[in-house]
Amino acid sequence: MSILENFAENALQSMREKHIYRKLRLMVSPESAHVQMANEDGLKENILLASNSYLDLANIFELKQAMANAVLEWGTGSGGARLTTGNKTPHLELENEIAKFKNEEAAITFGTGYMANVGTISALCTKNDIIFSDALNHASIIDGIRLSRAKCYVYKHNDLEDLKRLLAEAVNANGEKLGTGSARGLIVTDAVFSMDGDLANLPELLKIAHENGVLLMIDEAHATGVIGKTGRGLAEYYGSEHADVTVGTLSKAVACEGGFVAGKKLLIEFLKNKARSFIFTTAMSPAVAFAACNNLRYIENHPDCVQKLQSNVKFFCEALQKFGLDVPQVPSAIVPIMVGDEEKTLQLSSKLEKEGILIPAIRYPTVPEGCARLRASLMASHTEEDLEFAARKIAETLRNLG
Ligand SMILES: *Cc1c(COP(=O)(O)O)cnc(C)c1O
């Protein structure tokens, strides 16, 4: 073995021993509530309880056809970065539509939500600043913080007392407290936490941010199209003001690709000039920008699909409770079913797959060791029969594992 192969094999072996080694699954059908998976035993039909495509927009004929027409009109790729030749009419229309959907002054799009977080945090903060980050924030937020080189304080998950304590104590790299010297502050949090399905308390966070003179940034990746009566996100859900910076993705409920930031005009103009993951990369394909815009308009015109998703979540949580499982009524479309042990969770997930239910085991390092769980995510297109069947099988299989 070469030095490289030896290094890789040792690292992989240690992952296998900790049961954290991962393999890619192969889906041979489009993403929808029912899918076909390829595995060792051949092809298998499954109810999919693992998708981020919450509203199942990827399969709506008129939306697919509109995207196909956009390819015919605009071609397959954008040909350049947004600041060179890549900026086309669909990009402009998409950003206007996002601003409208989010009820903000303006918006900017990025290649992915990951790039939106990395580019925005590293543009807004420098090594003299202080960032306050929820302990369960998404990896792309963590990477953005690292790239900014700001001093970072991690507060306990959704623990606002801990956040206030850190705001009072924190110092930047030069030992300066907030409001003294050059230190500026940013609080950053997921809106919907991707492994627990719980929400950030936007009204309280806004209050704390204002009182301390720091900025608030929320990441609405799992909130856009999901939270609030018409899927506009946390501000709609709480009836509150917006955060200073709202990040989101077009790859989940919107069923396309791309990330965005929505906020004040000046923030967006600043990011267009400063965010490196916006500047030094090719613009998204104009057909994708067109489709994302068209899908967002569809959500605006069909708030009933958001409400169907929400009633499915309520139905599923109640069904799990009826079959004896201790699950919370989550406000999002992510339902965690706690197991604890890593290996048992894997067994549970693989037994359920044999029963025709695809529901992933989430384990270390995605969640802390000993907090392994099944993570169900729901779609508007699941039927009550799908959800009742899945809830019964999950409870049965878990009981049989002891
Ligand atoms: C999925 C996700 C992202 C990344 O979005 P992509 O468009 O898939 O890159 C960022 N933040 C959170 C909280 C997410 O769940």
Side-chain angles (χ1 to χ4, degrees):
M1 262 200 244
S2 66
I3 294 171
L4 171 63
E5 288 168 312
N6 201 32
F7 161 78
E9 177 51 28
N10 285 342
L12 289 168
Q13 187 51 33
S14 114
M15 290 180 212
R16 283 187 206 103
E17 280 160 17
K18 290 191 205 139
H19 304 291
I20 59 170
Y21 174 81
R22 290 162 185 228
K23 278 193 303 221
L24 295 175
R25 294 166 184 275
L26 181 63
M27 192 180 287
V28 294
S29 67
E31 184 108 339
S32 194
H34 292 253
V35 293
Q36 201 169 44
M37 302 300 295
N39 56 31
E40 306 89 62
D41 321 325
L43 298 182
K44 176 130 186 80
E45 287 290 332
N46 281 98
I47 298 174
L48 183 63
L49 285 169
S51 181
N52 292 328
S53 185
Y54 297 113
L55 302 173
D56 205 3
L57 299 191
N59 295 296
I60 293 179
F61 183 76
E62 65 179 272
L63 300 181
K64 291 193 284 187
Q65 196 166 46
M67 184 172 183
N69 288 340
V71 173
L72 295 178
E73 186 175 354
W74 291 100
T76 54
S78 71
R82 288 289 299 282
L83 290 168
T84 60
T85 63
N87 191 40
K88 310 284 195 294
T89 316
H91 298 96
L92 178 69
E93 285 178 355
L94 171 60
E95 288 172 347
N96 289 342
E97 176 58 30
I98 292 168
K100 180 170 164 238
F101 187 82
K102 288 299 208 182
N103 197 19
E104 298 270 15
E105 282 180 16
I108 174 177
T109 54
F110 292 80
T112 63
Y114 184 100
M115 291 162 79
N117 271 329
V118 166
T120 301
I121 299 173
S122 61
L124 282 172
C125 296
T126 70
K127 64 181 187 349
N128 290 332
D129 298 324
I130 312 177
I131 299 177
F132 302 86
S133 175
D134 188 286
L136 296 190
N137 276 345
H138 189 262
S140 56
I141 294 177
I142 296 168
D143 292 356
I145 294 171
R146 288 183 183 151
L147 201 56
S148 78
R149 291 182 292 165
K151 188 110 184 269
C152 178
Y153 291 81
V154 175
Y155 59 93
K156 289 185 199 138
H157 172 53
N158 263 348
D159 185 337
L160 302 184
E161 291 310 312
D162 198 41
L163 171 60
K164 285 185 209 162
R165 180 181 66 79
L166 291 174
L167 280 159
E169 284 175 7
V171 290
N172 73 358
N174 308 324
E176 297 163 334
K177 288 196 157 199
L178 282 172
T180 70
S182 57
R184 293 176 310 128
L186 173 74
I187 300 170
V188 56
T189 181
D190 277 17
V192 172
F193 288 88
S194 51
M195 294 303 137
D196 294 71
D198 55 338
L199 305 185
N201 188 336
L202 178 60
E204 284 300 316
L205 284 165
L206 281 166
K207 213 165 98 192
I208 294 171
H210 291 161
E211 278 167 10
N212 288 274
V214 301
L215 297 177
L216 177 64
M217 168 169 159
I218 65 170
D219 176 353
E220 297 210 297
H222 292 283
T224 305
V226 176
I227 302 293
K229 208 163 175 319
T230 63
R232 309 306 168 96
L234 285 196
E236 182 183 34
Y237 177 87
Y238 288 110
S240 71
E241 301 278 297
H242 293 261
D244 299 292
V245 185
T246 299
V247 175
T249 178
L250 302 163
S251 65
K252 290 177 177 156
V254 184
C256 284
E257 298 171 3
F260 66 81
V261 173
K264 295 277 185 229
K265 274 202 178 94
L266 277 172
L267 166 71
I268 302 310
E269 197 181 330
F270 168 78
L271 290 175
K272 284 180 180 162
N273 284 280
K274 187 76 180 171
R276 294 169 65 84
S277 62
F278 174 83
I279 299 168
F280 297 105
T281 191
T282 301
M284 68 168 77
S285 165
V288 171
F290 178 93
C293 178
N294 198 46
N295 287 11
L296 263 181
R297 285 186 185 142
Y298 184 92
I299 299 173
E300 266 189 83
N301 295 331
H302 297 80
D304 52 301
C305 64
V306 178
Q307 281 137 35
K308 177 65 176 19
L309 173 67
Q310 293 167 353
S311 69
N312 272 355
V313 173
K314 184 161 179 287
F315 180 89
F316 185 61
C317 290
E318 282 169 3
L320 288 166
Q321 290 160 1
K322 186 176 80 183
F323 293 118
L325 290 180
D326 183 21
V327 291
Q329 240 333 315
V330 290
S332 67
I334 298 164
V335 182
I337 301 159
M338 300 306 293
V339 180
D341 183 69
E342 266 82 23
E343 212 175 336
K344 185 172 165 187
T345 311
L346 280 180
Q347 279 179 14
L348 179 60
S349 174
S350 83
K351 282 190 191 315
L352 285 166
E353 193 169 344
K354 294 208 165 60
E355 302 276 358
I357 301 163
L358 195 64
I359 175 165
I362 305 289
R363 57 218 144 103
Y364 180 81
T366 309
V367 294
E369 271 177 285
C371 293
R373 68 199 62 180
L374 295 181
R375 173 188 184 272
S377 55
L378 269 56
M379 300 170 93
S381 55
H382 283 126
T383 64
E384 292 194 343
E385 293 80 77
D386 291 337
L387 298 174
E388 170 106 15
F389 171 76
R392 186 158 46 78
K393 285 288 174 195
I394 292 165
E396 256 174 43
T397 313
L398 188 56
R399 225 173 351 247
N400 292 342
L401 277 175

